[in-house]
Amino acid sequence: MPNRFKTLTRYTIEEEHRHPGSSGEFSALINVVSTAAKIIANQVTRGAIVGSEVEDEGSVSGRLDVLTDEIMVGQTQWSGQLAGLLSEQHDTVLPAGTRRGKYLLAYDALDGSSNIDVNLPVGSIFSILRAPEGIVDGGADLAESDFLQPGVEQVCAGFTLYGPATMLVLTTGSGVDGFTLDREIGAFVLTHPQMRIPQDTGGFAINAANERFWERPVRRYVLECLEGVEGPRGRDFNMRWVASLVADTFHILTKGGVYLYPRDTRSPAVPGRVSLLYGANPIAFIVEQAGGAATTGHERVMEVSPSAAHQRVPFIFGSRNEVLRIERYHREPDADKRFDSSLFGTRSLFRPARHDQRT
């Protein structure tokens, strides 16, 4: 049967059959998460219509942040496959229902929620970990420390993208596969098997408004990209920023590129802005499985030892060769004074190109 007819249910069952002794809990959990994604997709597409169901009187994005988290908890907490859940919306971890499963779920139910108010893409991100044995057999209480596992311990990671089509991108450690929601049959169908990120790229995504806070290695990298064919890279680059981690990730998975949300100087006590357990780790797992790389600038993201449930880190990922270059810049001392002045003032869009200037 062609891949276009392979549903997510069939896919997860086939994946689980590759592991002798599997109980079926994992495939059941993935299908529960995908059901939550379908419900969230339906709510997101309603936009400003959402409101009467949620008592929060804030913005549309605020109401949907609350509602989508309730959907994820409602679909997964009592499903029987989980021992506990971790979300940005909750200060403490949530224990599972009456039956404790063998997995932990860390998630962001609505990444990029600020885009809701301006009708731009948003999504959900999730990471699945194994619960410690003492939690599963009921002998110990669930604790925040149970989630403090490095990214290399992830069993599965995925994200959904709520755009013109609803996509679900998934890895279990054997490559990355993308599914599209077929609303006529109500199922996710495999449409993007074994996604791969090109090792080289001509594009990068960064929030240029934070330029004055960037550290030297990032300023160096961006300046070289901005200098284009006249600079040391010898070619032109495109720059973009969607302010939605899942949207930029999907673009990189399909077109290549590099994403930078680097450490900055605004607050020395806050080393990064992207959540580690339910943001950077699952995206890094997906990116690496697709042939890319993910770093904090100083170390591989998936090797960072978490110290807190809501820990945040710098996050740079995408086409492997570009990420390795940025890592190298973080290791190399550089005294070039060009990196101390405004990058974007050096080459204005409104300044004529060099070959057009009059002498």
Side-chain angles (χ1 to χ4, degrees), residues 27-276:
S27 58
L29 176 57
I30 294 300
N31 280 288
V32 167
V33 171
S34 70
T35 298
K38 295 173 194 176
I39 300 171
I40 291 172
N42 183 58
Q43 295 299 319
V44 166
T45 57
R46 298 176 67 201
I49 297 173
V50 175
S52 59
E53 304 94 332
V54 185
E55 295 179 358
D56 188 316
E57 294 183 357
S59 63
V60 175
S61 60
R63 296 196 297 269
L64 278 169
D65 270 326
V66 174
L67 179 59
T68 54
D69 187 81
E70 290 178 350
I71 291 168
M72 188 66 78
V73 172
Q75 291 297 310
T76 62
Q77 188 176 24
W78 297 88
S79 63
Q81 297 88 32
L82 293 177
L85 302 91
L86 171 67
S87 162
E88 187 173 24
Q89 294 293 316
H90 301 276
D91 293 333
T92 59
V93 297
L94 299 178
T98 54
R99 178 183 181 274
R100 289 184 179 181
K102 61 183 179 181
Y103 297 107
L104 300 173
L105 178 67
Y107 67 91
D108 182 352
L110 195 61
D111 168 71
S113 59
S114 60
N115 282 344
I116 286 287
D117 295 322
V118 289
N119 202 26
L120 288 175
V122 295
S124 304
I125 308 173
F126 63 91
S127 169
I128 298 175
L129 301 162
R130 293 191 186 278
E133 290 185 6
I135 299 297
V136 179
D137 62 25
D141 292 331
L142 181 71
E144 178 180 302
S145 59
D146 296 320
F147 284 86
L148 303 185
Q149 304 178 35
V152 291
E153 298 296 329
Q154 293 176 104
V155 176
C156 173
F159 69 86
T160 52
L161 179 63
Y162 311 119
T166 296
M167 300 285 305
L168 188 152
V169 176
L170 188 72
T171 184
T172 58
S174 301
V176 178
D177 294 299
F179 301 80
T180 301
L181 179 60
D182 185 335
R183 295 185 181 273
E184 291 187 1
I185 64 173
F188 282 102
V189 178
L190 181 63
T191 53
H192 295 66
Q194 294 298 294
M195 302 177 78
R196 301 294 294 176
I197 299 173
Q199 294 206 348
D200 297 291
T201 183
F204 64 101
I206 195 168
N207 186 354
N210 294 330
E211 176 214 1
R212 65 194 183 279
F213 303 116
W214 296 339
E215 293 180 322
R216 272 177 168 265
V218 175
R219 296 174 70 86
R220 175 185 177 185
Y221 176 78
V222 174
L223 177 59
E224 290 180 353
C225 292
L226 292 175
E227 289 180 332
V229 294
E230 298 169 351
R233 303 300 304 277
R235 55 194 174 98
D236 290 327
F237 285 77
N238 293 319
M239 182 171 65
R240 65 194 306 274
W241 181 253
V242 182
S244 170
L245 179 57
V246 291
D248 280 316
T249 301
F250 190 75
H251 185 273
I252 287 170
L253 283 169
T254 52
K255 303 292 186 181
V258 62
Y259 173 101
L260 301 95
Y261 209 140
R263 180 193 303 268
D264 61 42
T265 60
R266 275 175 290 183
S267 175
V270 181
R273 305 283 170 175
V274 180
S275 61
L276 175 61

